Amino acid sequence: MNTALKHNIVISESGKITRKEKGFKRILWIVALSIIVLFLVFFLTLVLSSLPSLKAFGFSFLYEKTWNPVAGEFGVFPFLVGTLLTSFLALIIAVPFSLAVALFLGEYYRKGIVSGLFKNIIDLLAAIPSVVYGFWGLFVLVPIIRKLEMLLNVSPYGVGIFSASVILSIMIMPYAISLTRQVLQMVPSDLKEAAYAMGATRFDVIRKIVIPHILSGLFAGILLALGRALGETMAVTMLIGNTNALPTSLFSPSNTMASAIANEFTEATGQIYTSSLIEMALVLFLVVTIINVIGRKLINHFAWDE
Amino acid sequence: MKKVNLILLAILSSALTLVSCGNNSKKNPDTQKTTASANTLIGAGATFPYPLYSKMFHVYHQKKGIKVNYQSVGSGAGIQQIQNKVVDFGASDAPMSDEELKESPGYLVHIPTCLGAVVITYNLPEDPSLKFTPDVLADIFLGKITKWNDPRIAKVNPNVKLPSLPISVLHRSDGSGTTYIFSDYMSKISSDWKNKVGKGKSLQWPTGLGAKGNEGVSGFVKQTKGSIGYVELAYAYQNKMSKATLQNKSGNFITPTLSSISAAADIDHMPKDLRVSITNTSASKGYPISAFTYILVYEEQGYDNRKEKKAKATVDLIDWMITDGQQFTKALQYGKLPEKVVEKATKRLKTVTYNGQSLLK
């Protein structure tokens, strides 16, 4: 009798549970779908609002070098070059540092006061607003780079591609470090222990076991960092010199797409000017998407090799 | 743990963006609602006169009990908002172009409220005071004169020891009314500038670096020896920056001061609609890079079920701004409207009607 009663309860409850279960699943579906809808709406808005400029300039928008709001001639090429150049340069500077710090925290000092302090400080670095990075760059970094430029005998602007890349590399490092550290934790310890048992040194283990194992994760980290660098606005606009021309050297002033949009959008008048700025946003959106797709392909590629 | 943090960060930031978007989209209905309430007027537009307007509106509220809510969103946005009729008045530094007026649903009256000016500032060793003639100034900003000890600069400044530093030109990177006034002047004094660069809020600059805002330009000028740039007059005074003396159309060298920019507006051929550029002024004591800033209202106020009381309040406010309100210009470093202009502006304000009846007696 007692057991039968219990049984009954279980059955009725499980009926409720399935209903709840279904409802919950439906909610999850709706929320998940809304992300895709959001993405599509975003993309469509950009395309629709940039139609006037798409019609007026066509593909020449991508390779034209003039950006002249007065004459109404718009080409995004110098900004595209500036964006890609600063972001990739920032990556080149940031990746070795991030990998080194991640190895330091993930392999050498996993626990303890030292690593705790380091981790907290890295998280803090990620939380600093970009305008603060910009100010710091303007008042500390720019005078240093100006001195460097005088030594190298190039025009000592202090601002330009190089300054922007350095500040960007500092900004993206915390992201790259956290992600790399996470993937370091995923390296199977039996593999490492086996290597140690064979008499491998720590350096050998890092070089032959750890790094090959984390390659795909490392790429993911770099990719996330690159996404941030491509879209960074405030710090870049303060340090890049805002010159709408093709850069001629590493130190020459330039401009990026995000920075130009932020600078010019508020006071842009006239349909073609506004829609050209929106088309610039569309190009930025596509660049980020393309780089993401390529990155995912590369991650899969490395993951396969393991 | 780390991952959780990152995810939290992502959720937080997306939530924040959503919230801020929400605020934006809410703005319009809000403004409309407040437009409906009787004792509140809404204006939007230029950032340049914002400190003066907020002082004026504060005093006006105390005296007349009419609250004015002014949003300094930029001239372009101000024009758009008055065109969409979501504000009682718009404000713009540059007068609207003929096309912009044509695009508007009704005729917009321009009423000048005060004067501003653009100052040429520079950073040289020993901080000498410099003079420029129009052609020298144009050629510096066109990138044709590249050294400070160029004989053409030396000729105008015989008593100054000029260093052999390269000139680095600084300009605004953000679209701005200051750039508009500056380029409007340059287009008038140099045909080269007019053909190659033209006038606008954002330009294709032939030379130099861009920095955001008056503070960006002045920050760079202060940091860099041998630099030259342009900022708004009030900003240059507040930050004690060097100010170049410029030769005006009559050949006189004029230092930018509040009285010399007011003098620039003292012209005889003021057009009837008051849309006028006074850069390169014909006034003999006027500073050549001065400009009016305007308030924009519809000539016929009886639109969209607008109450007469509200229309009257709008016109009364503007009338007060160009008369009694002028006393606040000096302390806040804006140029006062000359008597002649106030007279003309009042006359113009009298043409603003409600169902055909003039609102200002």
XYZ file of all heavy atoms in Angstrom, chain A residues 150-219:
536
model
N 62.197 60.768 -32.886
C 63.291 61.711 -33.114
C 64.600 60.960 -33.312
O 65.408 61.313 -34.163
C 63.408 62.676 -31.937
C 62.389 63.797 -31.992
S 62.529 64.826 -30.539
C 61.170 65.940 -30.771
N 64.795 59.903 -32.515
C 65.999 59.082 -32.646
C 66.061 58.428 -34.019
O 67.118 58.304 -34.627
C 66.023 57.984 -31.580
C 66.432 58.403 -30.163
C 66.355 57.217 -29.231
C 67.848 58.981 -30.177
N 64.897 57.992 -34.512
C 64.839 57.291 -35.792
C 64.776 58.253 -36.965
O 64.756 57.839 -38.119
C 63.614 56.379 -35.838
C 63.615 55.203 -34.865
C 62.258 54.525 -34.857
C 64.697 54.211 -35.226
N 64.680 59.555 -36.627
C 64.650 60.584 -37.658
C 63.425 60.520 -38.573
O 63.513 60.771 -39.768
C 65.932 60.522 -38.507
C 66.449 61.925 -38.756
O 65.777 62.897 -38.419
N 67.625 62.027 -39.344
N 62.266 60.181 -37.996
C 61.015 60.333 -38.741
C 60.245 61.476 -38.091
O 60.566 61.885 -36.974
C 60.148 59.052 -38.735
C 60.776 57.981 -39.573
C 59.895 58.559 -37.326
N 59.242 62.022 -38.802
C 58.564 63.206 -38.240
C 57.926 62.861 -36.891
O 57.163 61.913 -36.783
C 57.522 63.764 -39.197
O 57.116 62.801 -40.114
N 58.290 63.636 -35.858
C 57.912 63.276 -34.485
C 56.494 63.668 -34.117
O 56.277 64.531 -33.283
C 58.940 64.048 -33.646
C 59.279 65.237 -34.469
C 59.108 64.852 -35.913
N 55.497 63.040 -34.726
C 54.116 63.324 -34.370
C 53.780 62.746 -32.998
O 53.028 63.318 -32.242
C 53.158 62.712 -35.386
C 53.190 63.352 -36.741
C 53.402 62.598 -37.885
C 52.964 64.715 -36.875
C 53.406 63.185 -39.137
C 52.970 65.305 -38.120
C 53.190 64.539 -39.254
O 53.183 65.122 -40.480
N 54.343 61.565 -32.718
C 54.006 60.893 -31.465
C 52.761 60.035 -31.593
O 52.657 58.985 -30.989
N 51.803 60.482 -32.407
C 50.615 59.663 -32.627
C 50.735 58.988 -33.986
O 51.510 59.430 -34.827
C 49.330 60.511 -32.597
C 49.040 60.993 -31.205
C 49.426 61.665 -33.559
N 49.983 57.946 -34.200
C 50.031 57.255 -35.477
C 49.757 55.778 -35.294
O 49.352 55.324 -34.221
N 50.014 55.029 -36.383
C 49.744 53.587 -36.384
C 50.440 52.886 -35.217
O 49.834 52.092 -34.511
C 50.262 52.983 -37.706
C 49.536 53.627 -38.872
C 50.146 51.469 -37.687
C 48.618 52.747 -39.614
N 51.708 53.219 -35.020
C 52.490 52.485 -34.022
C 51.944 52.718 -32.613
O 51.719 51.772 -31.859
C 53.962 52.901 -34.104
C 54.863 52.090 -33.214
C 55.086 50.749 -33.479
C 55.460 52.664 -32.105
C 55.897 49.983 -32.652
C 56.280 51.912 -31.276
C 56.501 50.571 -31.547
N 51.688 53.987 -32.262
C 51.165 54.291 -30.921
C 49.838 53.591 -30.695
O 49.599 53.010 -29.629
C 50.951 55.790 -30.758
O 52.099 56.491 -31.100
N 48.961 53.648 -31.697
C 47.652 53.019 -31.560
C 47.806 51.516 -31.370
O 47.121 50.908 -30.540
C 46.797 53.315 -32.781
N 48.752 50.905 -32.118
C 48.937 49.457 -32.002
C 49.443 49.072 -30.629
O 49.013 48.066 -30.060
C 49.932 48.965 -33.051
O 49.505 49.355 -34.315
N 50.360 49.870 -30.081
C 50.903 49.543 -28.761
C 49.793 49.579 -27.716
O 49.652 48.654 -26.906
C 52.039 50.518 -28.380
C 52.437 50.329 -26.924
C 53.250 50.305 -29.272
N 48.973 50.630 -27.754
C 47.906 50.729 -26.741
C 46.890 49.607 -26.950
O 46.411 49.004 -25.988
C 47.242 52.131 -26.765
C 46.747 52.483 -25.367
C 46.065 52.231 -27.690
C 47.798 52.957 -24.443
N 46.610 49.282 -28.205
C 45.680 48.185 -28.486
C 46.223 46.871 -27.949
O 45.491 46.078 -27.363
C 45.462 48.049 -29.996
C 44.345 48.860 -30.614
C 44.310 48.609 -32.113
C 43.016 48.496 -29.999
N 47.530 46.659 -28.131
C 48.110 45.391 -27.678
C 47.975 45.275 -26.166
O 47.698 44.198 -25.645
C 49.563 45.274 -28.124
O 50.356 46.168 -27.388
N 48.145 46.394 -25.446
C 47.978 46.340 -23.986
C 46.525 46.046 -23.632
O 46.232 45.299 -22.704
C 48.419 47.675 -23.340
C 49.888 47.948 -23.653
C 48.210 47.641 -21.834
C 50.363 49.316 -23.223
N 45.620 46.616 -24.424
C 44.200 46.423 -24.121
C 43.723 45.006 -24.367
O 42.836 44.520 -23.671
C 43.362 47.384 -24.965
C 43.545 48.816 -24.558
S 42.619 49.915 -25.614
C 40.972 49.561 -25.088
N 44.282 44.344 -25.390
C 43.763 43.014 -25.713
C 44.478 41.912 -24.944
O 44.007 40.789 -24.888
C 43.833 42.720 -27.232
C 45.267 42.731 -27.732
C 42.981 43.687 -27.988
C 45.359 42.508 -29.227
N 45.612 42.242 -24.325
C 46.381 41.215 -23.617
C 45.584 40.474 -22.551
O 45.647 39.244 -22.496
C 47.621 41.844 -23.004
C 48.889 41.372 -23.684
S 50.275 42.131 -22.887
C 50.898 43.111 -24.193
N 44.838 41.160 -21.673
C 44.111 40.432 -20.631
C 43.208 39.341 -21.197
O 43.129 38.244 -20.645
C 43.264 41.512 -19.961
C 43.932 42.780 -20.261
C 44.625 42.599 -21.566
N 42.552 39.634 -22.338
C 41.660 38.639 -22.935
C 42.442 37.443 -23.415
O 42.089 36.295 -23.150
C 40.893 39.256 -24.104
C 39.921 40.286 -23.664
C 40.315 41.591 -23.452
C 38.607 39.939 -23.418
C 39.421 42.543 -23.013
C 37.699 40.881 -22.970
C 38.119 42.181 -22.770
O 37.237 43.109 -22.328
N 43.505 37.712 -24.146
C 44.323 36.636 -24.680
C 44.895 35.804 -23.535
O 44.905 34.570 -23.599
C 45.426 37.204 -25.551
N 45.329 36.468 -22.465
C 45.931 35.734 -21.341
C 44.900 34.834 -20.665
O 45.154 33.640 -20.464
C 46.529 36.711 -20.301
C 47.741 37.434 -20.896
C 46.949 35.962 -19.041
C 48.253 38.564 -20.033
N 43.722 35.379 -20.338
C 42.731 34.548 -19.637
C 42.366 33.328 -20.447
O 42.260 32.224 -19.911
C 41.431 35.284 -19.359
O 41.662 36.574 -19.031
N 42.161 33.524 -21.755
C 41.751 32.390 -22.564
C 42.854 31.362 -22.694
O 42.609 30.158 -22.607
C 41.302 32.875 -23.938
C 39.830 33.237 -23.923
C 39.483 34.165 -25.041
C 38.990 31.965 -24.014
N 44.085 31.847 -22.881
C 45.198 30.909 -23.013
C 45.368 30.118 -21.717
O 45.650 28.917 -21.734
C 46.497 31.666 -23.334
O 46.219 32.656 -24.307
C 47.561 30.735 -23.854
N 45.172 30.792 -20.585
C 45.312 30.096 -19.306
C 44.271 29.000 -19.157
O 44.541 27.934 -18.646
C 45.184 31.094 -18.167
C 46.462 31.182 -17.360
C 46.254 32.035 -16.157
N 45.001 31.704 -15.503
C 44.163 32.602 -15.009
N 44.454 33.858 -15.094
N 43.056 32.227 -14.428
N 43.060 29.319 -19.629
C 42.018 28.295 -19.556
C 42.363 27.060 -20.353
O 42.181 25.941 -19.887
C 40.722 28.855 -20.101
C 39.922 29.604 -19.076
C 38.699 30.178 -19.721
O 37.952 29.468 -20.371
N 38.520 31.465 -19.566
N 42.872 27.271 -21.578
C 43.173 26.084 -22.387
C 44.388 25.342 -21.828
O 44.485 24.126 -21.956
C 43.390 26.409 -23.880
C 42.094 26.772 -24.525
C 44.414 27.485 -24.083
N 45.278 26.080 -21.147
C 46.431 25.407 -20.539
C 45.970 24.397 -19.495
O 46.550 23.322 -19.347
C 47.338 26.438 -19.859
C 48.374 27.104 -20.723
C 49.153 28.120 -19.914
C 49.322 26.069 -21.311
N 44.879 24.772 -18.774
C 44.377 23.871 -17.738
C 43.789 22.607 -18.338
O 43.610 21.612 -17.636
C 43.326 24.591 -16.895
C 43.978 25.493 -15.867
C 43.003 26.502 -15.296
O 41.829 26.510 -15.642
N 43.507 27.358 -14.427
N 43.466 22.674 -19.625
C 42.830 21.516 -20.242
C 43.841 20.507 -20.792
O 43.443 19.458 -21.280
C 41.897 21.974 -21.346
C 40.619 22.572 -20.801
S 39.467 22.880 -22.103
C 39.705 24.603 -22.395
N 45.132 20.833 -20.730
C 46.137 19.866 -21.194
C 46.138 18.688 -20.214
O 46.299 18.891 -19.012
C 47.533 20.514 -21.240
C 48.577 19.503 -21.678
C 47.533 21.719 -22.157
N 45.923 17.451 -20.700
C 45.817 16.297 -19.789
C 47.104 16.121 -18.983
O 48.193 16.111 -19.561
C 45.614 15.112 -20.729
C 45.303 15.681 -22.052
C 45.820 17.064 -22.100
N 46.937 15.978 -17.667
C 48.152 15.910 -16.852
C 48.880 14.579 -17.044
O 50.096 14.511 -16.859
C 47.821 16.157 -15.388
O 46.666 15.459 -15.040
N 48.148 13.517 -17.441
C 48.875 12.249 -17.629
C 49.888 12.343 -18.761
O 50.967 11.752 -18.700
C 47.908 11.071 -17.818
C 46.744 11.405 -18.718
O 46.605 12.610 -19.037
O 45.992 10.497 -19.100
N 49.524 13.144 -19.793
C 50.477 13.341 -20.896
C 51.759 13.986 -20.379
O 52.876 13.550 -20.680
C 49.869 14.272 -21.936
C 49.228 13.642 -23.172
C 48.744 14.741 -24.099
C 50.233 12.752 -23.879
N 51.559 15.065 -19.579
C 52.719 15.784 -19.065
C 53.531 14.892 -18.132
O 54.758 14.843 -18.206
C 52.254 17.046 -18.314
C 51.793 18.142 -19.238
C 51.701 19.470 -18.535
C 50.366 19.586 -17.816
N 50.184 20.890 -17.192
N 52.792 14.172 -17.247
C 53.488 13.302 -16.295
C 54.300 12.246 -17.023
O 55.426 11.928 -16.636
C 52.473 12.647 -15.353
C 52.120 13.551 -14.195
C 50.755 13.229 -13.599
O 50.266 12.099 -13.790
O 50.191 14.133 -12.955
N 53.711 11.693 -18.085
C 54.426 10.689 -18.870
C 55.719 11.277 -19.414
O 56.787 10.646 -19.352
C 53.546 10.198 -20.012
N 55.637 12.514 -19.907
C 56.830 13.149 -20.470
C 57.889 13.357 -19.389
O 59.081 13.087 -19.607
C 56.455 14.481 -21.099
N 57.389 13.828 -18.208
C 58.352 14.016 -17.109
C 59.011 12.695 -16.745
O 60.216 12.625 -16.494
C 57.647 14.591 -15.871
C 57.354 16.069 -15.984
C 56.078 16.553 -15.766
C 58.373 16.963 -16.308
C 55.800 17.902 -15.871
C 58.104 18.317 -16.414
C 56.824 18.781 -16.200
O 56.571 20.104 -16.308
N 58.213 11.616 -16.741
C 58.736 10.301 -16.379
C 59.812 9.851 -17.349
O 60.739 9.132 -16.985
C 57.587 9.291 -16.342
N 59.690 10.322 -18.597
C 60.695 9.965 -19.599
C 61.949 10.820 -19.451
O 62.892 10.679 -20.239
C 60.145 10.185 -21.008
C 58.849 9.496 -21.301
S 59.056 7.800 -21.777
C 59.685 7.996 -23.415
N 61.930 11.734 -18.485
C 63.115 12.552 -18.248
C 63.112 13.880 -18.959
O 64.141 14.546 -19.053
N 61.919 14.296 -19.465
C 61.854 15.591 -20.138
C 61.950 16.719 -19.116
O 61.491 16.577 -17.987
C 60.534 15.710 -20.902
N 62.563 17.834 -19.503
C 62.611 19.000 -18.616
C 61.314 19.787 -18.785
O 60.524 19.517 -19.688
C 63.780 19.924 -18.980
O 63.559 20.390 -20.301
C 65.098 19.205 -18.884
N 61.108 20.789 -17.917
C 59.901 21.587 -17.977
C 59.776 22.284 -19.337
O 58.721 22.327 -19.948
C 59.964 22.644 -16.881
C 58.604 22.966 -16.362
C 58.729 23.766 -15.117
N 57.531 23.651 -14.333
C 57.412 24.182 -13.123
N 58.431 24.811 -12.567
N 56.291 24.074 -12.465
N 60.905 22.794 -19.805
C 60.920 23.487 -21.084
C 60.527 22.529 -22.208
O 59.749 22.878 -23.092
C 62.313 24.074 -21.318
C 62.408 24.845 -22.603
C 61.670 26.012 -22.784
C 63.222 24.401 -23.647
C 61.746 26.721 -23.961
C 63.301 25.109 -24.828
C 62.559 26.279 -24.985
N 61.069 21.302 -22.139
C 60.714 20.296 -23.152
C 59.218 20.039 -23.162
O 58.589 19.970 -24.222
C 61.436 18.965 -22.853
C 62.904 19.054 -23.174
O 63.256 19.880 -24.044
O 63.694 18.326 -22.549
N 58.665 19.898 -21.940
C 57.242 19.595 -21.828
C 56.417 20.718 -22.445
O 55.481 20.490 -23.216
C 56.849 19.386 -20.346
C 55.329 19.306 -20.216
C 57.492 18.126 -19.818
N 56.791 21.968 -22.125
C 56.044 23.104 -22.671
C 56.124 23.127 -24.191
O 55.140 23.303 -24.895
C 56.574 24.426 -22.074
C 56.145 24.529 -20.615
C 56.067 25.627 -22.863
C 56.741 25.680 -19.865
N 57.344 22.897 -24.690
C 57.560 23.017 -26.125
C 56.918 21.867 -26.904
O 56.291 22.080 -27.924
C 59.065 23.054 -26.403
C 59.426 23.714 -27.726
C 60.885 24.083 -27.727
N 61.680 22.905 -27.373
C 62.522 22.295 -28.209
N 62.696 22.750 -29.410
N 63.220 21.252 -27.821
N 57.069 20.659 -26.382
C 56.645 19.494 -27.166
C 55.231 19.024 -26.830
O 54.572 18.403 -27.656
C 57.624 18.324 -26.920
C 59.045 18.633 -27.341
C 59.279 18.126 -28.745
C 60.615 18.570 -29.303
N 61.758 17.965 -28.598
N 54.793 19.241 -25.600
C 53.469 18.732 -25.213
C 52.445 19.871 -25.118
O 51.417 19.854 -25.796
C 53.517 18.020 -23.832
C 54.640 17.002 -23.800
C 52.154 17.436 -23.494
C 54.332 15.689 -24.444
N 52.770 20.857 -24.286
C 51.751 21.862 -23.967
C 51.380 22.707 -25.184
O 50.212 22.789 -25.570
C 52.231 22.765 -22.804
C 51.226 23.875 -22.557
C 52.406 21.936 -21.555
N 52.376 23.311 -25.800
C 52.059 24.242 -26.889
C 51.349 23.565 -28.056
O 50.323 24.071 -28.520
C 53.320 25.025 -27.322
C 53.698 25.956 -26.164
C 53.063 25.816 -28.605
C 54.685 27.009 -26.447
N 51.818 22.418 -28.539
C 51.063 21.783 -29.615
C 49.625 21.477 -29.195
O 48.703 21.587 -29.989
C 51.826 20.474 -29.870
C 53.182 20.713 -29.346
C 53.030 21.673 -28.208
N 49.459 21.117 -27.916
C 48.134 20.743 -27.459
C 47.177 21.928 -27.407
O 45.978 21.771 -27.608
C 48.244 20.092 -26.072
C 47.174 19.092 -25.821
N 45.943 19.439 -25.340
C 47.142 17.751 -26.001
C 45.207 18.359 -25.229
N 45.905 17.320 -25.631
N 47.695 23.117 -27.114
C 46.784 24.254 -26.927
C 46.624 25.119 -28.179
O 45.939 26.126 -28.149
C 47.244 25.172 -25.769
C 48.608 25.790 -26.073
C 47.239 24.426 -24.452
C 48.938 26.945 -25.176
N 47.261 24.708 -29.286
C 47.255 25.590 -30.461
C 45.875 26.122 -30.825
O 45.702 27.317 -31.057
C 47.858 24.854 -31.660
C 49.321 25.191 -31.943
C 49.790 24.468 -33.181
C 49.523 26.690 -32.082
N 44.886 25.214 -30.872
C 43.572 25.683 -31.315
C 42.976 26.653 -30.312
O 42.367 27.663 -30.681
C 42.645 24.508 -31.562
O 42.156 24.019 -30.351
N 43.160 26.343 -29.030
C 42.650 27.254 -28.002
C 43.337 28.603 -28.073
O 42.723 29.657 -27.912
N 44.632 28.545 -28.349
C 45.418 29.771 -28.473
C 44.850 30.633 -29.594
O 44.681 31.836 -29.462
C 46.866 29.389 -28.774
C 47.912 30.480 -28.652
C 47.957 30.988 -27.234
C 49.279 29.941 -29.051
N 44.510 29.967 -30.701
C 43.939 30.679 -31.827
C 42.621 31.336 -31.459
O 42.361 32.476 -31.841
C 43.734 29.718 -33.003
C 44.617 30.059 -34.134
C 45.863 29.471 -34.252
C 44.215 31.002 -35.064
C 46.688 29.820 -35.287
C 45.052 31.354 -36.101
C 46.291 30.761 -36.217
